[in-house]
Amino acid sequence: MNTRLKFVLGVALLAAAPWASAQVYKCKGASGETVYSQDPCGKGAEPVKLRSIRASTETAGEAANRSAVYRTTELSDAGIAERNCLQSEQSRIYGPLDARAQAANRQVADLNRQLAGASGSLAGATADAGIRAQISSLQQSLSAERSAADSQMSSARDRCSAARRDREKQVHDKYDASAAAAN
């Protein structure tokens, strides 16, 4: 057996040792390398003291502390989810409206330039009234869209808030049930 294989075998034996009832011995190989074996491998073999791998016991205080940390983290996650929900809804609702508002504002600016160039004649006054009506119509349309978007956002806030409350209730129920089971 080569040295590397012996070493790997020795480490494997050490790893399996807590589950096995056999003793493990540490020896020197023919080339002076360290070898681990279940059987004494010569007069220089030394038994290896193995530490058992067992589950650590957790005190009631430690368990309560861990539970409190998990609960707080989950409640914080519910708040973050609500904030993400609101940001998503705001982008979905106001993003297209903002793009339309920019386009309408450009149209209003163009119409205002046309107003500035209107002449003082009767035809100019008629054109002036038509331009003012277009500007008013664009502004009313934007105002109505903004009002509808505000209403949609209010409903979205209610949905996001309700989702947070539901999640918080689940967290409270989960940890209250855990605490009751522990007692």
Side-chain angles (χ1 to χ4, degrees), residues 1-171:
M1 239 193 243
N2 69 23
T3 305
R4 185 176 214 178
L5 183 59
K6 288 178 186 178
F7 177 75
V8 170
L9 187 62
V11 170
L13 285 171
L14 281 175
W19 297 281
S21 61
Q23 178 67 49
V24 175
Y25 296 90
K26 179 179 176 183
C27 309
K28 291 287 182 196
S31 313
E33 75 278 6
T34 302
V35 177
Y36 296 93
S37 173
Q38 285 183 320
D39 301 314
C41 33
K43 56 185 169 184
E46 302 171 18
V48 176
K49 193 175 225 172
L50 300 173
R51 291 181 277 171
S52 72
I53 301 174
R54 60 180 176 86
S56 65
T57 56
E58 185 175 54
T59 66
E62 291 168 336
N65 188 39
R66 180 180 41 77
S67 180
V69 168
Y70 288 166
R71 178 185 213 148
T72 302
T73 300
E74 288 186 41
L75 290 172
S76 178
D77 288 348
I80 292 168
E82 179 185 27
R83 189 176 16 195
N84 290 341
C85 175
L86 288 170
Q87 287 175 344
S88 174
E89 289 296 307
Q90 188 171 10
S91 294
R92 182 185 67 79
I93 293 168
Y94 289 115
L97 175 63
D98 291 342
R100 283 192 300 280
Q102 287 177 354
N105 287 335
R106 283 191 296 272
Q107 286 180 312
V108 168
D110 287 343
L111 291 170
N112 280 327
R113 279 191 289 281
Q114 290 176 17
L115 268 178
S119 65
S121 67
L122 181 59
T126 304
D128 187 45
I131 291 171
R132 288 186 194 283
Q134 285 180 324
I135 291 172
S136 178
S137 175
L138 283 170
Q139 289 172 336
Q140 286 175 353
S141 174
L142 277 177
S143 179
E145 283 188 60
R146 175 72 60 188
S147 180
D150 289 344
S151 177
Q152 287 178 353
M153 193 61 204
S154 179
S155 295
R157 278 188 194 93
D158 291 344
R159 282 191 311 274
C160 294
S161 180
R164 178 184 183 162
R165 282 191 306 275
D166 289 346
R167 179 65 186 131
E168 287 175 342
K169 183 180 180 328
Q170 290 172 353
V171 170

